[in-house]
Amino acid sequence: MTPYEAELVVGRLAPAADGVLAVVLRHPAGAALPAWEPGAHVDVVLAPGLERQYSLCGDPADRSAWRLAVLREPDGRGGSAYVHTRLAEGATVRVRGPRNHFALRPAPRYRFVAGGIGITPILPMLAAAEAAGADWTLLYGGRTRAGMAFREELERYGDRVRLAPEDETGPLDLDTALAAPDADTLVYCCGPGPLLDAVGERCAAAWPAGALHTERFRPAEPAAGGNDGFEVVLARSGRTLAVGPDVSVLDAVRAAGVEVLYSCAEGTCGTCETDVVEGVPDHRDSVLTEEEREAGETMLICVSRCRGERLVLDL
């Protein structure tokens, strides 16, 4: 199925916190936008060569608009600076998606942990958990209270939400938040890499396998692995391509003239996920779950490689 792609209009720009800008996108003709579920993100082409992924953080029931939130990152790669200084209401941007590798699975209980702008995919999850009658809590950390986005929207949940600005309360108390695991409870976490690593360590030590679900905005440190060359067979054409030690599968496929969708090229967005027909992938992405990695049915061809000499891909 061809993914949705359209030029959307910036309908509204508004501060969501100090250094965070909420962006509302609409179809220029007022057409309904594709449905989405909590955890989804979209690819936004801000300018030629400047493409970024942002989580949808509005109301999934509102098909008239998509809301994003962008943190101004002084040391970023240019995307946030563009949004904060050059994007204007009425401007158009090309958007693809939505895609979802962070879907909220049904459960009677949830423990949500968010750090900084990581609140964006979590926010619609809270509404979905509340509507489903689930028991849930949110631990939300930030550097300062003023910099924590959507605080007013969270007030309606009362003491289910704990705000923990670091300058007031110190580092997040993960030991308490993730103490003895409850039965039938899922943990959802999004935020900076160190937070995800810390949550992952605690869940690995005490929680059941599969309880933790995370989303990264930056690639995880890849596990040590060789970069030996291998062959990729394109199943649809029968062509065989050589992938050198310093070449990604994505680059090799594109150099052969095969059109494939991709975006971040860092293994974080999931756009280039490709079905594996034969062979064992060497997964180096930050998207697939452990279960998906073990199944070996798909791989992200921008960063992952081959555990062996040959892969057959559905391309």
Side-chain angles (χ1 to χ4, degrees), residues 168-192:
E168 297 177 21
T169 64
L172 287 181
D173 185 2
L174 297 177
D175 290 329
T176 298
L178 299 172
D182 296 325
D184 302 318
T185 302
L186 298 182
V187 178
Y188 277 79
C189 178
C190 186

Side-chain angles (χ1 to χ4, degrees), residues 42-153:
V42 292
D43 305 328
V44 181
V45 182
L46 298 165
L50 192 61
E51 181 173 333
R52 297 292 182 266
Q53 293 73 45
Y54 298 111
S55 297
L56 294 172
C57 60
D59 179 4
D62 182 4
R63 300 282 299 277
S64 70
W66 283 343
R67 184 177 70 169
L68 322 170
V70 182
L71 170 68
R72 177 66 188 267
E73 299 182 87
D75 298 323
R77 298 172 298 157
S80 70
Y82 187 98
V83 171
H84 279 256
T85 64
R86 299 180 62 182
L87 200 63
E89 292 183 3
T92 59
V93 290
R94 179 156 288 274
V95 182
R96 289 195 304 268
R99 298 183 180 86
N100 199 341
H101 288 275
F102 193 43
L104 184 67
R105 298 184 181 180
R109 283 171 291 277
Y110 299 97
R111 295 190 195 178
F112 297 104
V113 181
I117 200 63
I119 189 62
T120 51
I122 298 293
L123 195 62
M125 292 184 179
L126 306 183
E130 186 80 356
D135 181 17
W136 63 269
T137 60
L138 166 66
L139 177 61
Y140 177 20
R143 292 176 181 169
T144 65
R145 187 175 297 270
M148 297 172 69
F150 305 116
R151 298 187 312 279
E152 295 79 6
E153 293 185 26

